[in-house]
Amino acid sequence: MKPFARHRRLRRNEAIRSMVREHHVQVTDLIYPLFVVEGNGVKEEIPSMPGVCHFSLDRLDEEIDEVVDLGIPSVLIFGVPNEKDACGSSAYDENGIVQRAIRRIKERHPGLYVIADTCLCQYTDHGHCGVVEDGEIDNDSSLELLVKTAVSQARAGADMIAPSNMMDGFVAAIRQGLDESGFTNIPIMSYAVKYASAFYGPFRDAAHSAPQFGDRRTYQMDPANAREALREAASDVEEGADLLMVKPGMAYLDILYRLKERFDLPVAVYNVSAEYAMVKAAAQNGWIDEQRIVMELMTAMKRAGADLILTYHAKDVARWLRGGMIG
C-alpha cells in the first residue's frame, strides 16, 4: 500500500488535542458591551437580546462588579439618553449619560479598561450618525461634533475612544482633537470596516437608534465589497488609528483575515447583536448546544485573526473558560 499521512495520531485524546491546538480563546480577549440609561432602579432585559440589559447608573455597579469578578478586562459603553436633538448634543455633554457612567465605573474599578463608543446616532432625534443638512449627512460638520464627543469622553476618564460613525476623516479629526486637549495617550480603536448590515437590528432596539428616515448606506459599507475594506482601513491607519475593528463578525471573517494579513495593528471584531440573538433564540428552543456553538464562533474569530472580540456572550464565555471549557 502506498504510504499515507496518519493525521489522526494527533487527535487521539484530549491531551494531545490541547497540546497541538493552534488557537485559544482567553478571557483577556473579551470586551463586554454595556447599555446605560437614565433613571433609577433600571435593570431591564432587552427583549431581542436575552440576558443583555439596560442599566441605570444606580444599578450599574452590580453588573460591573460581576464583569470584574469574571476577569473580563474591558467594557464598551453605549449611552441611551432621555433627550435627543438634531445635533446629538447629549453625546458631548460633560454630564451626559456616558460621561457619568465612565466616571462611576472608574471610581469603583479604576483598573477596568473602559472604552467609549463615539457616535451620534443614539443622541440625534433623526437616528443618523452625523449632522443632517438638506436631507443628507454632512460629513465635515459631523466631524466637529464627534471630536467634541471624544474629548468629553476622555475627560470623563475613558481609557480608549472607539469611533463608530464611518464619516470620512474621523480618525484624523479625533486624533487631532484628543492631542490638542492633552489626551495624547488615549488610543483610538477605529470601527474601520463597518458594513451596512442587517445584523444590527437588536442593537437598534437596545440603543433606540434606528434612523427616522432613509438608511445608513451612504456612510456604512456595502456588504458586497472587500477591497474597499482595505482602503477604509488603510486610511484609518494613515490617520493615526491604534487598533482596527471589523463589524459585524460572523459574516465577515474573510474581511477580518484580510485586515490581519495586510496591517500590523491589533484587530478587533464585533460579534454583533443579531449574531448573539440568533444563537440565544436557537438555544432557548433546544435546537443547539449553546456553549459549544458560542465557543466555536469565538475560536473562528480568533482563527481569522481577531486579537480582541467584542461580544455580548462575554460573561458566559468567561464562566465557561473558568469552568475548564476549552477554547
Side-chain angles (χ1 to χ4, degrees):
M1 176 183 286
K2 184 178 180 179
F4 56 88
R6 297 278 184 182
H7 300 292
R8 292 177 58 191
R9 290 172 183 154
L10 300 184
R11 303 172 192 155
R12 289 195 67 205
N13 54 48
E14 180 53 34
I16 188 62
R17 289 194 296 271
S18 64
M19 290 166 64
V20 301
R21 186 165 289 127
E22 298 176 27
H23 300 280
H24 297 266
V25 178
Q26 304 177 74
V27 69
T28 50
D29 300 327
L30 305 175
I31 299 171
Y32 185 48
L34 285 168
F35 297 96
V36 186
V37 300
E38 303 282 2
N40 293 292
V42 179
K43 181 182 178 181
E44 296 178 349
E45 187 173 72
I46 299 162
S48 56
M49 299 176 69
V52 177
C53 296
H54 286 130
F55 291 95
S56 55
L57 290 177
D58 61 319
R59 297 294 303 273
L60 185 59
D61 291 348
E62 60 195 82
E63 183 75 348
I64 293 298
D65 289 350
E66 183 180 16
V67 167
V68 171
D69 180 67
L70 287 168
I72 297 168
S74 180
V75 292
L76 174 67
I77 304 298
F78 294 98
V80 185
N82 278 347
E83 297 183 3
K84 304 187 180 192
D85 57 31
C87 59
S89 61
S90 58
Y92 44 87
D93 186 338
E94 297 295 335
N95 201 36
I97 185 62
V98 164
Q99 288 79 358
R100 283 181 285 146
I102 292 169
R103 289 194 290 268
R104 188 179 185 101
I105 293 169
K106 297 302 286 188
E107 287 171 4
R108 189 173 180 88
H109 293 288
L112 184 65
Y113 200 85
V114 178
I115 304 171
D117 178 82
T118 306
C119 197
L120 300 178
C121 61
Q122 301 104 288
Y123 308 95
T124 55
D125 53 15
H126 47 73
H128 280 285
C129 302
V131 177
V132 176
E133 293 186 4
D134 299 322
E136 301 283 342
I137 312 305
D138 186 80
N139 192 91
D140 294 3
S141 59
S142 300
L143 294 180
E144 297 176 14
L145 301 185
L146 290 164
V147 170
K148 292 176 65 175
T149 301
V151 170
S152 73
Q153 292 168 338
R155 192 175 290 122
D159 296 294
M160 180 184 287
I161 299 301
S164 59
N165 53 88
M166 289 297 286
M167 297 294 112
D168 291 336
F170 69 93
V171 173
I174 290 173
R175 182 72 273 158
Q176 181 178 347
L178 290 172
D179 290 352
E180 290 177 351
S181 298
F183 297 109
T184 56
N185 292 322
I186 299 295
I188 295 174
M189 177 167 63
S190 168
Y191 285 66
V193 183
K194 182 178 180 181
Y195 285 91
S197 172
F199 283 97
Y200 304 147
F203 174 89
R204 291 174 181 174
D205 291 339
H208 302 166
S209 62
Q212 298 303 300
F213 68 91
D215 54 43
R216 295 175 178 155
R217 287 183 288 181
T218 64
Y219 46 100
Q220 294 179 359
M221 280 184 52
D222 186 336
N225 293 356
R227 293 193 301 272
E228 183 185 6
L230 298 178
R231 296 197 298 272
E232 283 278 1
S235 294
D236 290 357
V237 171
E238 184 177 348
E239 291 174 19
D242 299 282
L243 303 90
L244 303 173
M245 187 198 298
V246 175
K247 181 180 180 180
M250 288 167 54
Y252 298 91
L253 296 184
D254 62 315
I255 305 301
L256 175 61
Y257 182 80
R258 290 182 189 219
L259 259 65
K260 188 65 174 180
E261 289 292 292
R262 177 69 66 89
F263 304 104
D264 61 1
L265 294 182
V267 179
V269 65
Y270 202 142
N271 175 215
V272 298
S273 58
E275 298 170 351
Y276 172 87
M278 290 189 300
V279 170
K280 283 292 183 181
Q284 288 178 348
N285 278 284
W287 297 337
I288 61 171
D289 181 328
E290 180 180 356
Q291 181 171 318
R292 291 191 63 189
I293 289 284
V294 171
M295 293 306 297
E296 190 170 333
L297 289 170
M298 297 296 109
T299 303
M301 293 174 189
K302 289 286 290 184
R303 191 179 65 243
D307 298 292
L308 298 170
I309 303 173
L310 297 90
T311 179
Y312 303 99
H313 294 290
K315 291 197 299 180
D316 287 335
V317 171
R319 293 188 192 99
W320 296 331
L321 291 172
R322 179 174 289 181
M325 174 68 187
I326 300 298

